[in-house]
Amino acid sequence: MLTKFETKSNRVKGLSFHSKRPWILASLHSGVIQLWDYRMGTLIDRFDEHDGPVRGVHFHKSQPLFVSGGDDYKIKVWNYKMHRCLFTLLGHLDYIRTVQFHNEYPWIVSASDDQTIRIWNWQSRTCISVLTGHNHYVMCASFHPKEDLVVSASLDQTVRVWDIGALRKKTVSPADDILRLSQMNTDLFGGVDAVVKYVLEGHDRGVNWAAFHPSLPLIVSGADDRQVKLWRMNDTKAWEVDTLRGHMNNVSCVMFHARQDIIVSNSEDKSIRVWDVTKRTGVQTFRREHDRFWILSAHPEMNLLAAGHDSGMIVFKLERERPAFSVSGDSLYYVKDRFLRFYEFSSQKDNQVIPIRRPGSTNLNQGPRTLSYSPTENAVLLCSDVDGGSYELYIVPKDSVGRGDTVQEAKRGAGGSAIFVARNRFAVLDKSNNQVLVKNLKNEIVKKGSLPVAADSIFYAGTGNLLCRSEDKVVIFDLQQRTILGDLQTPFVKYVVWSSDMETVALLSKHAIIIASKKLVHRCTLHETIRVKSGAWDDNGVFIYTTLNHIKYCLPNGDSGIIRTLDVPIYITKVSGNTIFCLDRDGKNRAISIDATEYVFKLSLIKKRFDLVMSMIRNSQLCGQAMIAYLQQKGFPEVALHFVKDERTRFNLALESGNIQIAVASAKEIDEKDHWYRLGVEALRQGNASIVEYAYQRTKNFERLSFLYLITGNMEKLSKMLRIAEIKNDVMGQFHNALYLGDIRERVKILENAGHLPLAYVTAAVHGLTEIADRLAAELGDNVPALPEGKVPSLLMPPAPILSGGDWPLLRVMKGIFEGGLDNIGRAGQEEDEEAAAADWGDDLDIVDVDGMQNGDIGVVVEDGEAEEGNDEEGGWDLEDLELPPEADTPKATVSARSVFVPPTPGMPVSQIWVQKSSLAGEHAAAGNFDTAMRLLSRQLGIKNFAPLRLMFLDLHTGSHTYLQGFASAPVIPLAVEKGWSESASPNVRSPPALIYKFSQLDDKLKTAYKFTTEGKFVDALKLFLNILHTIPLIVVESRREVDEVKELIVIAKEYVLGLRMEVKRKEMKDDLVRQQELAAYFTHCNLQRIHLRLVLMSAMSICFKGGNFNTAANFARRLLETDPPNETQAKRARQVLQACTDKNMKDSTPLNYDFRNPFVVCGATMVPIYRGQKDVSCPYCGSRFVPAIEGQLCSVCDLAVVGADASGLLCSSSQIR
């Protein structure tokens, strides 16, 4: 059984497939009817108007209707498009078991526990016939697909066949009077529209289901006696043919398969059984653990079945429908109906080659699954699931093509999958031993070899190579060298498709396509919600594939799209130009024409074949929002411009591609405030002051205009803006303009007119306008404001413009292919004049001729109550001509016809280049990308506490940049400082950042820390060693040798930090003498410099001797003497202690948690020994060891990493990556 879809719900009592759409209705014991899309696996709708279980449900063949019947005695007819019940048919007096539409007439048949069957007309909404005769519940009733018959099954142990011919005649032609009379009698006295034709008796218990064969005069029934019975009928009688036994409980539903000679039944014994009609034997059984089955349904047109059980339903197929095939050059070999067939693509001829034996076993799904072909030897390998997986080898006679009648004995063998790997060699997978057997054409083993992964299938991967598939990865294995050439993590791969040059492979799983190179280097992955069925490579290197309902394409960069929809699934065999060759589920060859324009266009864009793109834009009907969005997304807005007629879209694309000319033209057409504003923003970004000015003028945006004149230094126009604000009586505008101009008298005048006399007085007095100040003081009288004493006033004046420039100069570049070739399309002659004007950008601001106006002066506008405002053309702005030099004097650059100016694309910041090129945390921090630096450190060293590194991050970033002061009003310019920069270096090649932390500095710190340790300044030494540990993660070194030195330094610093922490803690513990001795003893086991080890041993020896632990003290004295101390005092002291201990019988007065005979390491957190053999966890960065309880906590030695965290290891040099 191949399960296609499964649901979890209440008990399913009724099922019905839609004839065209991938839908199935499930009616539940809870009273809900669910509508599922079994292809997508989604619930589309639910209908819950029934009260109590719904036992029967059925889709209409052609109308958007379905009918349901439930335990509330109601039959409801629903319209699924309107999501509602249209009407209810009432008449039954008990539970309704089944309902069904007639294929042709507007009838519904229903079976009920009231012992009747009713036929209803759903158009007139009346009951047209009641079939009585059963004397117990009627469990099911259904129409014959072609004849005027109804079959019913009842708990009275009978199956009845009813003739409804009279009912049909009455429905079709109740025209003449006699018939009408008889109709009246019928209506009054009960008619004989339906008569019992046969009563089939033979079951010993109640019959639950009966069904007609779709074409033969057969009936099948299933009952509570656990038997399935087969009946045959003719015109006069019906008789029992055979009984199928095997179910262990009541048979709940049974039916004939529409396409095969089989019966499918299900039962309350939790199984579905498949029976062979001709042999009358069981073929296969499918069981569930806990769920009894209640209902079966078959798709009217496809090879699909559905079964309802206690906790949901399943949609399934009994057999695979994919034909086994293999493509070789211009030919296709495939299997259909027990024959190997040959198809030639060029001539489209199809021939039978040789017959293939049918598997002897009775099980389903035993046909060939895969086919492998060797063209030189004309040999074919067929693999199937017979006997748990086996293969057959056929040598095709050269002359047999076309005849296909000679039966030849195949060479057979066991094996999950078999494929040709060379001209006359094939490989067979032996799953049980996980090895591959290479055989010759005589079926003899030539070679054996074990596989590198637990493979469950093998595929061809070039001569002598295998692609081995396991559950979650694929591997390419070279059989000769016995080496792995490549591997890739993938979902479970079902099919493998190689490109014709064997350079690229597509791996097809159920819902994904992975494209990879021949060494399995991943290129892209594509996910599909609907099942992927097949695929093939076209001549351009595009992968064309099919899902259940689409033909789609996948480009080399992973972009995909739909080519066309499909009614039925197909299996692509070859793609040639605009034709797709494929096999359908019936094994027929088909050639489908497709329109490849869209994907060829996208491929040309990717490959930068702009000549092709040009011709396709000119000649094809490629347009639509999707294509425009694609071009925009891929960074080709200028190409998209040539597709678009809609002005708003043109405006957006023009802004995106920086094409100010087209943006201006579109903005004029649209003429909306928002568009002018956005045009102004883009023009300002490009430094095109004249367009900015024009955009602000169009929207009467006086504040922005004034500011524009201020920053471009155009004082003349600023003073005109002041006059305009005065006329418009805009006091704030006047004041702003006066501020921008630095016109003090004007400011005082404005303040005075606005009634702010104190402010006017202060302004005049501060700026030294004594006459005006005196006049204002006289007016103010006693209210003269006092000026602050002892403060030196500074003038509030704008800086005078040094350079009053127009538009920014732009780079001259050659016109791109799209601008050059496409300007003639769509808007042919319009832009030529503009280009001529734009070809020379000097002081003439004649860039865009906007409605016949130049960007000239702003005249004084006197508006009587804004009366002339509507007349935008002339009145709003009195634009005078600019005083330009005569044209002859203006130097013109010689410009080739194809050159034009475009703004340069902004380059990538150096810090971004650093980040992209590096995996070293120090370089990321220098670039200012602290978050990625932290992520790298977390991944490489398990670091979680970044507080100690914060200042180092900031120092690194600041130290790798320098800053230049620009103009007074311009921002500071940051410059990246690169390692090893020289003037001769290429400006395009970026070196890594210069870092302020160097390995040599750590060496100096280490020496100082050693000195502090010798001097007994333990706290200072501890700080330095910790600083070394904190700096190392951000260090970058050049060579592998230095990497080893850095790792060695971590170990040294870790040992000292641990030892010094114990020593500092010991000094704090004045009262606990035992713990003091233990800590002193542990310190002697840290890996220290010999000079320090002697000092530590001396200290431990003295403390233990004083504490009365003579045995331990003697051990330290011995170890001290072994170091051969050059200081005679130390040696003498050790000998004295040893002598004294010997005199005192080497006894320890207090037991210590210390055994010097047993090797141990010290836990960095608890400071207790972890002896050899005991479990421990370590810090991923510094390597300190801890007792298991500390796992997941912060390392107390380095104070950075989390104990026991996963980490990849220290990365401090690019040489490690290479």
Side-chain angles (χ1 to χ4, degrees):
M1 178 198 284
L2 302 164
T3 306
K4 295 292 170 189
F5 172 58
E6 203 161 344
T7 70
K8 293 272 178 283
S9 67
N10 270 68
R11 183 183 305 167
V12 175
K13 300 296 282 184
L15 287 170
S16 175
F17 280 102
H18 194 283
S19 58
K20 295 285 182 287
R21 297 186 177 182
W23 292 352
I24 187 166
L25 275 170
S27 63
L28 310 185
H29 202 264
S30 62
V32 173
I33 302 165
Q34 296 177 330
L35 175 58
W36 291 92
D37 182 322
Y38 54 80
R39 193 180 278 171
M40 293 292 287
T42 51
L43 179 65
I44 298 169
D45 212 338
R46 61 199 299 277
F47 309 89
D48 50 1
E49 285 183 27
H50 276 288
D51 187 11
V54 184
R55 296 176 192 275
V57 68
H58 192 240
F59 267 121
H60 193 279
K61 190 178 176 185
S62 54
Q63 299 293 325
L65 304 175
F66 69 88
V67 60
S68 62
D71 284 8
D72 52 5
Y73 314 167
K74 291 174 184 172
I75 294 170
K76 289 180 178 283
V77 176
W78 310 74
N79 184 315
Y80 56 73
K81 281 190 178 168
M82 295 158 71
H83 310 284
R84 67 185 184 86
C85 174
L86 298 180
F87 53 89
T88 303
L89 301 171
L90 298 171
H92 279 299
L93 307 172
D94 207 336
Y95 296 173
I96 293 156
R97 294 284 175 174
T98 65
V99 285
Q100 186 199 8
F101 280 111
H102 194 280
N103 268 353
E104 208 174 320
Y105 302 120
W107 296 345
I108 292 167
V109 64
S110 59
S112 165
D113 284 4
D114 64 8
Q115 306 183 12
T116 67
I117 298 151
R118 285 177 180 252
I119 298 176
W120 313 76
N121 183 318
W122 57 264
Q123 286 178 339
S124 63
R125 304 184 183 182
T126 52
C127 176
I128 53 172
S129 187
V130 181
L131 283 58
T132 55
H134 281 297
N135 53 29
H136 207 312
Y137 300 166
V138 185
M139 298 302 284
C140 87
S142 60
F143 291 114
H144 192 284
K146 297 186 182 70
E147 297 172 36
D148 298 326
L149 298 173
V150 168
V151 66
S152 63
S154 165
L155 293 190
D156 63 9
Q157 303 182 13
T158 66
V159 173
R160 290 177 181 244
V161 179
W162 311 77
D163 188 338
I164 54 167
L167 187 66
R168 183 179 63 82
K169 286 184 188 128
K170 188 171 86 172
T171 308
V172 174
S173 56
D176 44 46
D177 294 337
I178 301 163
L179 270 171
R180 195 165 293 152
L181 194 65
S182 73
Q183 171 117 24
M184 281 166 62
N185 288 338
T186 306
D187 292 345
L188 288 169
F189 307 113
V192 284
D193 298 333
V195 292
V196 176
K197 196 169 182 185
Y198 322 113
V199 178
L200 309 177
E201 296 176 314
H203 282 291
D204 302 335
R205 297 269 180 89
V207 187
N208 289 318
W209 203 268
F212 287 117
H213 192 284
S215 51
L216 299 172
L218 296 174
I219 292 170
V220 67
S221 62
D224 286 350
D225 60 6
R226 306 176 186 180
Q227 295 174 2
V228 173
K229 285 189 184 287
L230 189 61
W231 315 79
R232 185 179 279 277
M233 57 185 181
N234 60 19
D235 291 340
T236 56
K237 61 176 182 174
W239 64 96
E240 185 181 328
V241 177
D242 210 342
T243 302
L244 308 173
R245 293 181 176 85
H247 279 296
M248 310 295 201
N249 206 330
N250 305 343
V251 180
S252 44
C253 190
V254 60
M255 63 197 297
F256 289 103
H257 195 286
R259 293 173 166 230
Q260 292 164 278
D261 287 337
I262 55 176
I263 290 168
V264 185
S265 64
N266 68 9
S267 155
E268 294 178 42
D269 67 4
K270 305 169 191 166
S271 74
I272 299 174
R273 286 174 188 260
V274 182
W275 315 81
D276 188 316
V277 176
T278 46
K279 295 181 182 167
R280 319 236 174 96
T281 54
V283 177
Q284 224 159 350
T285 305
F286 310 110
R287 284 194 174 80
R288 279 188 84 82
E289 285 287 307
H290 308 294
D291 303 312
R292 298 166 296 174
F293 283 102
W294 297 104
I295 183 75
L296 275 169
S297 177
H299 196 288
E301 290 173 18
M302 284 160 65
N303 186 15
L304 277 179
L305 298 168
H309 53 77
D310 279 338
S311 59
M313 60 133 174
I314 47 173
V315 176
F316 61 97
K317 280 199 307 197
L318 291 173
E319 287 198 284
R320 299 169 85 248
E321 295 177 280
R322 180 192 181 93
F325 66 86
S326 176
V327 178
S328 172
D330 186 42
S331 54
L332 164 77
Y333 281 87
Y334 68 103
V335 176
K336 180 188 175 186
D337 303 334
R338 302 192 211 177
F339 283 99
L340 177 70
R341 301 182 69 91
F342 166 83
Y343 176 79
E344 199 170 40
F345 293 115
S346 51
S347 61
Q348 298 198 11
K349 280 184 185 160
D350 194 342
N351 292 312
Q352 201 163 289
V353 183
I354 49 169
I356 288 163
R357 69 158 199 147
R358 189 67 190 253
S361 86
T362 53
N363 277 8
L364 294 166
N365 258 335
Q366 302 288 291
R369 284 178 76 90
T370 62
L371 186 154
S372 181
Y373 174 67
S374 168
T376 46
E377 303 294 324
N378 225 25
V380 171
L381 266 174
L382 296 176
C383 295
S384 65
D385 288 343
V386 179
D387 307 329
S390 62
Y391 67 87
E392 296 179 4
L393 173 65
Y394 295 91
I395 310 293
V396 181
K398 288 272 191 257
D399 56 350
S400 76
V401 174
R403 297 220 315 277
D405 45 10
T406 52
V407 180
Q408 64 161 274
E409 191 56 39
K411 297 184 175 70
R412 294 190 182 83
S417 53
I419 50 154
F420 281 105
V421 288
R423 183 176 61 84
N424 55 1
R425 296 279 185 275
F426 64 92
V428 182
L429 175 65
D430 173 9
K431 270 195 222 173
S432 53
N433 300 316
N434 196 39
Q435 62 177 2
V436 69
L437 316 173
V438 179
K439 301 190 176 187
N440 59 19
L441 294 182
K442 293 177 183 168
N443 207 18
E444 300 161 344
I445 296 176
V446 181
K447 186 178 178 183
K448 282 185 183 179
S450 58
L451 289 173
V453 290
D456 58 5
S457 186
I458 53 173
F459 301 91
Y460 180 66
T463 306
N465 294 343
L466 291 179
L467 192 142
C468 309
R469 172 192 79 190
S470 67
E471 194 62 39
D472 59 346
K473 69 189 280 192
V474 288
V475 170
I476 290 186
F477 183 61
D478 186 325
L479 286 167
Q480 287 295 110
Q481 313 287 336
R482 306 234 170 147
T483 54
I484 294 176
L485 301 179
D487 65 345
L488 185 61
Q489 294 287 329
T490 62
F492 185 71
V493 172
K494 295 180 77 173
Y495 310 109
V496 173
V497 187
W498 286 92
S499 60
S500 53
D501 58 2
M502 293 299 288
E503 287 296 317
T504 321
V505 64
L507 307 167
L508 278 57
S509 72
K510 203 182 212 174
H511 292 290
I513 294 168
I514 297 99
I515 309 278
S517 71
K518 64 178 176 186
K519 293 279 173 70
L520 289 186
V521 176
H522 180 266
R523 291 195 179 152
C524 63
T525 300
L526 211 64
H527 293 283
E528 287 288 342
T529 46
I530 296 180
R531 291 171 191 235
V532 178
K533 284 291 168 193
S534 67
W537 293 90
D538 87 337
D539 313 329
N540 301 313
V542 176
F543 188 64
I544 310 295
Y545 65 97
T546 62
T547 63
L548 277 169
N549 53 0
H550 286 116
I551 300 177
K552 303 179 100 172
Y553 63 83
C554 172
L555 298 175
N557 65 349
D559 288 342
S560 68
I562 297 172
I563 296 173
R564 60 170 285 175
T565 52
L566 293 169
D567 299 329
V568 290
I570 58 166
Y571 305 96
I572 297 182
T573 51
K574 185 181 172 108
V575 182
S576 177
N578 282 358
T579 307
I580 287 180
F581 293 99
C582 60
L583 284 163
D584 62 16
R585 282 183 160 169
D586 297 329
K588 293 196 187 95
N589 273 291
R590 289 166 57 186
I592 300 175
S593 292
I594 57 164
D595 178 9
T597 320
E598 182 186 321
Y599 76 76
V600 172
F601 177 79
K602 290 181 177 178
L603 186 69
S604 308
L605 267 181
I606 293 167
K607 292 188 170 175
K608 299 196 166 38
R609 293 287 309 279
F610 296 131
D611 48 340
L612 281 174
V613 174
M614 284 276 304
S615 66
M616 290 177 81
I617 291 173
R618 285 208 180 99
N619 305 328
S620 73
Q621 294 300 307
L622 265 175
C623 61
Q625 289 302 319
M627 188 52 76
I628 291 161
Y630 180 82
L631 287 164
Q632 239 175 316
Q633 178 198 344
K634 294 295 170 192
F636 294 104
E638 70 278 11
V639 185
L641 256 178
H642 299 284
F643 283 114
V644 186
K645 299 286 180 282
D646 174 57
E647 290 297 350
R648 289 172 193 277
T649 315
R650 281 181 71 78
F651 179 81
N652 290 334
L653 290 169
L655 281 196
E656 200 171 323
S657 55
N659 194 329
I660 288 290
Q661 271 87 344
I662 291 181
V664 171
S666 294
K668 278 199 274 182
E669 294 290 330
I670 300 163
D671 201 19
E672 282 179 10
K673 197 167 184 176
D674 177 53
H675 287 71
W676 285 116
Y677 170 68
R678 286 172 56 207
L679 173 67
V681 171
E682 176 59 23
L684 196 58
R685 192 183 71 79
Q686 292 190 19
N688 196 330
S690 42
I691 299 289
V692 182
E693 182 182 353
Y694 177 59
Y696 290 165
Q697 288 171 6
R698 288 298 289 250
T699 52
K700 296 197 165 46
N701 200 330
F702 297 129
E703 289 86 355
R704 283 202 167 86
L705 258 177
S706 294
F707 195 69
L708 175 74
Y709 294 143
L710 171 70
I711 59 171
T712 51
N714 199 330
M715 293 295 138
E716 194 181 339
K717 287 188 180 174
L718 251 181
S719 51
K720 290 189 179 176
M721 289 304 298
L722 177 64
R723 297 212 297 281
I724 289 170
E726 204 173 324
I727 291 160
K728 288 180 74 69
N729 206 12
D730 175 7
V731 179
M732 263 333 279
Q734 275 177 272
F735 191 75
H736 277 148
N737 284 313
L739 259 179
Y740 294 159
L741 282 162
D743 190 337
I744 312 299
R745 288 178 188 279
E746 190 63 40
R747 264 160 53 201
V748 173
K749 189 173 107 186
I750 293 164
L751 289 167
E752 192 179 347
N753 292 345
H756 291 292
L757 293 181
L759 275 176
Y761 168 76
V762 170
T763 307
V766 167
H767 288 85
L769 303 175
T770 46
E771 295 167 23
I772 302 173
D774 294 344
R775 179 169 60 75
L776 289 169
E779 281 185 45
L780 284 164
D782 297 339
N783 299 329
V784 177
L787 297 177
E789 295 290 325
K791 292 216 173 173
V792 181
S794 59
L795 295 183
L796 194 61
M797 293 282 283
I802 302 163
L803 181 71
S804 176
D807 300 336
W808 292 355
L810 299 182
L811 283 180
R812 173 171 296 155
V813 295
M814 289 309 288
K815 210 168 199 186
I817 177 155
F818 297 116
E819 291 89 352
L822 295 170
D823 277 347
N824 315 328
I825 304 167
R827 300 174 160 256
Q830 288 182 15
E831 272 119 61
E832 287 178 16
D833 302 339
E834 292 180 16
E835 260 174 56
D840 180 25
W841 290 32
D843 288 336
D844 55 338
L845 302 177
D846 185 6
I847 293 163
V848 177
D849 185 11
V850 185
D851 293 353
M853 296 188 291
Q854 252 83 13
N855 292 297
D857 283 345
I858 303 163
V860 182
V861 189
V862 185
E863 301 179 21
D864 294 335
E866 309 275 290
E868 295 177 347
E869 194 164 295
N871 187 358
D872 273 355
E873 300 278 328
E874 317 292 336
W877 302 96
D878 182 9
L879 298 178
E880 302 166 11
D881 280 343
L882 295 180
E883 293 177 12
L884 294 175
E887 199 163 315
D889 300 350
T890 312
K892 286 208 172 179
T894 53
V895 182
S896 71
R898 286 175 64 81
S899 85
V900 74
F901 300 102
V902 295
T905 51
M908 192 187 287
V910 179
S911 55
Q912 198 174 330
I913 297 172
W914 287 345
V915 170
Q916 283 182 356
K917 286 168 70 173
S918 170
S919 301
L920 306 174
E923 294 185 353
H924 280 248
N929 257 36
F930 295 167
D931 53 341
T932 57
M934 283 154 70
R935 274 204 296 276
L936 284 170
L937 289 175
S938 181
R939 201 164 62 229
Q940 291 165 6
L941 300 173
I943 293 178
K944 287 285 181 292
N945 177 28
F946 290 97
L949 304 181
R950 181 174 176 273
L951 286 173
M952 296 185 185
F953 272 38
L954 292 168
D955 289 350
L956 271 174
H957 178 51
T958 318
S960 301
H961 290 78
T962 183
Y963 300 88
L964 298 181
Q965 188 70 40
F967 297 121
S969 58
V972 171
I973 302 164
L975 288 180
V977 181
E978 297 171 32
K979 190 189 290 180
W981 184 85
S982 70
E983 285 191 30
S984 56
S986 163
N988 296 325
V989 178
R990 292 296 184 187
S991 305
L995 303 182
I996 59 164
Y997 294 125
K998 295 187 174 58
F999 186 50
S1000 54
Q1001 297 166 341
L1002 296 188
D1003 235 5
D1004 299 341
K1005 278 187 188 169
L1006 183 66
K1007 285 172 188 164
T1008 314
Y1010 280 161
K1011 184 164 166 268
F1012 282 157
T1013 310
T1014 313
E1015 292 168 2
K1017 297 177 180 171
F1018 298 134
V1019 176
D1020 296 341
L1022 183 58
K1023 275 184 191 164
L1024 271 176
F1025 281 118
L1026 266 176
N1027 182 265
I1028 291 171
L1029 275 181
H1030 291 169
T1031 313
I1032 286 174
L1034 301 173
I1035 285 291
V1036 175
V1037 294
E1038 294 300 318
S1039 64
R1040 292 305 279 267
R1041 185 179 56 77
E1042 286 177 306
V1043 173
D1044 296 338
E1045 287 174 12
V1046 170
K1047 288 180 178 173
E1048 200 179 315
L1049 183 55
I1050 294 175
V1051 177
I1052 294 169
K1054 177 260 293 189
E1055 291 288 336
Y1056 272 88
V1057 169
L1058 178 60
L1060 290 169
R1061 282 221 157 126
M1062 289 192 289
E1063 187 60 16
V1064 170
K1065 190 171 181 186
R1066 183 185 71 74
K1067 285 196 156 58
E1068 289 167 1
M1069 304 179 83
K1070 297 276 188 258
D1071 307 330
D1072 193 343
L1073 289 173
V1074 174
R1075 186 65 175 147
Q1076 275 194 30
Q1077 291 177 61
E1078 286 175 353
L1079 290 173
Y1082 303 154
F1083 195 1
T1084 66
H1085 289 265
C1086 290
N1087 197 352
L1088 308 175
Q1089 294 283 312
R1090 188 157 275 206
I1091 180 174
H1092 299 140
L1093 181 61
R1094 290 186 192 117
L1095 292 168
V1096 170
L1097 286 166
M1098 279 286 289
S1099 164
M1101 178 179 76
S1102 308
I1103 292 163
C1104 290
F1105 188 79
K1106 283 178 192 164
N1109 282 8
F1110 303 122
N1111 188 19
T1112 310
N1115 169 52
F1116 293 140
R1118 271 189 228 99
R1119 281 176 59 195
L1120 179 56
L1121 291 169
E1122 281 165 14
T1123 64
D1124 199 13
N1127 185 337
E1128 187 49 43
T1129 322
Q1130 287 179 344
K1132 185 179 172 187
R1133 183 86 169 276
R1135 283 194 286 273
Q1136 286 171 344
V1137 168
L1138 198 56
Q1139 184 60 47
C1141 290
T1142 314
D1143 296 346
K1144 299 194 179 179
N1145 299 330
M1146 295 280 194
K1147 286 274 171 63
D1148 282 352
S1149 62
T1150 47
L1152 301 178
N1153 182 9
Y1154 171 64
D1155 178 1
F1156 56 82
R1157 294 177 193 82
N1158 195 349
F1160 65 87
V1161 290
V1162 180
C1163 168
T1166 57
M1167 295 184 188
V1168 295
I1170 304 170
Y1171 291 104
R1172 185 182 288 170
Q1174 290 180 341
K1175 282 189 177 171
D1176 64 358
V1177 285
S1178 62
C1179 167
Y1181 167 43
C1182 67
S1184 303
R1185 309 274 271 284
F1186 297 87
V1187 293
I1190 302 298
E1191 188 167 8
Q1193 297 178 23
L1194 202 62
C1195 169
S1196 51
V1197 176
C1198 65
D1199 198 25
L1200 296 176
V1202 171
V1203 177
D1206 283 334
S1208 57
L1210 178 71
L1211 197 62
C1212 61
S1213 169
S1214 49
S1215 63
Q1216 286 172 280
I1217 300 159
R1218 288 197 290 275

